[in-house]
Amino acid sequence: VAPSSKAVWVAFANSFAKDFLLNWLAHARKLRAPNVLVGALDEEVETICKRQGVQAKRLRLDGSSLSADSFRQNQEQYRLMGLLKLELVLELLRGGSPVLLSDTDTAWMRDPSAWFELHEDADLFVSSDCLSPSVEAVGTRTSARCGHVLGSVYNLMANT
């Protein structure tokens, strides 16, 4: 894995998550991330990126934008969003660019380059914001919104 200074820092957003996106961009800017790309899922986010001087790639399915609503309320659109995210990441990887992909609700406090350099033989790092020992200990079907908890009714919707 190349240092993140060479990586394309990628996040995806629609206008529902614009406040998260603006915070994510502020942290990336503070860390001087040289290559930032936003997968813009609607016109408003594309406009926000232009105003911020950030490269954006407008993502559409069959020529139409996805809804500005929360994707988690619409399972079909949530899955389509996951497909669009995967397609963009694969495009970057196939083009030879290392990718640092994170949700817009991530606030990078430090540049992770040094950590990646310590593990240069790794091809992929994965993290989750879905860690709760107490929820996992209980493990009831409705207590856990994290798909990895056995028996969770939320396993039916793929987490992207």
Side-chain angles (χ1 to χ4, degrees), residues 60-80:
R60 304 169 193 228
L61 191 65
D62 297 329
S64 64
S65 294
L66 297 174
S67 167
D69 297 329
S70 170
F71 289 116
R72 293 183 191 264
Q73 304 307 317
N74 183 325
Q75 190 173 35
E76 181 180 350
Q77 285 202 345
Y78 191 70
R79 288 180 175 157
L80 293 175

Side-chain angles (χ1 to χ4, degrees), residues 1-4 7 93 97-100 112-127:
V1 171
S4 65
L93 291 171
S97 297
V99 176
L100 175 65
S113 296
W115 193 83
F116 291 148
E117 289 170 0
L118 289 174
H119 307 282
E120 64 186 53
D121 292 335
D123 292 319
L124 177 70
F125 295 100
V126 178
S127 180

Side-chain angles (χ1 to χ4, degrees), residues 3-11 21 23-38 52-55 98-102 106-113 116:
S4 65
S5 60
K6 296 178 184 175
V8 179
W9 290 39
V10 179
L21 174 63
N23 188 58
W24 186 88
L25 289 170
H27 282 85
R29 190 171 287 121
K30 183 177 179 181
L31 295 174
R32 295 186 177 103
N35 305 310
V36 173
L37 175 63
V38 173
Q52 293 278 322
V54 172
Q55 183 180 358
V99 176
L100 175 65
L101 172 65
S102 62
T106 300
W108 289 100
M109 305 308 285
R110 288 184 291 185
D111 184 339
S113 296
F116 291 148

